[in-house]
Amino acid sequence: LERNMFVAWGRGGREVLYSNQEGEVESLPVEPAGETLRLGRSTPLFRVPEGTTGMRTSDGERFLVSRTAEPGSGPELRLILDWPAMVAK
């Protein structure tokens, strides 16, 4: 089972957000300690379903997760570009 891995800084550089192999996003507190970093205990935030993609906001407080819908599972959306030219004909 292979999952997409996600790692990012959050909360002004005070935590690292990452996804583990079970598909959970976790928060790991990070604190400067001289020339090294002191790592706290990680906290699971939420589970990301398989087959999804996602991104976080720049402040690390919100996440957008999406997945591809199965064909025919919902309403169809059609995007028509340059429709005024079609009406003018």
Side-chain angles (χ1 to χ4, degrees), residues 1 3 20-26 44-50 52 65:
L1 178 67
R3 293 186 179 265
N20 63 25
Q21 291 183 342
E22 288 77 36
E24 296 174 325
V25 173
E26 295 192 7
L45 300 176
F46 58 90
R47 184 174 200 71
V48 178
E50 235 180 291
T52 60
V65 179

Side-chain angles (χ1 to χ4, degrees), residues 10-79:
R11 292 193 186 165
R14 298 282 184 189
E15 70 177 339
V16 174
L17 303 167
Y18 67 95
S19 60
N20 63 25
Q21 291 183 342
E22 288 77 36
E24 296 174 325
V25 173
E26 295 192 7
S27 168
L28 177 67
V30 178
E31 183 180 314
E35 293 192 19
T36 64
L37 294 175
R38 182 176 298 127
L39 304 178
R41 172 165 272 160
S42 64
T43 304
L45 300 176
F46 58 90
R47 184 174 200 71
V48 178
E50 235 180 291
T52 60
T53 58
M55 60 190 298
R56 68 173 181 85
T57 57
S58 60
D59 63 5
E61 295 295 319
R62 293 178 300 265
F63 293 82
L64 174 65
V65 179
S66 65
R67 68 175 175 205
T68 304
E70 296 294 324
S73 65
E76 186 175 305
L77 174 68
R78 292 183 185 214
L79 178 62

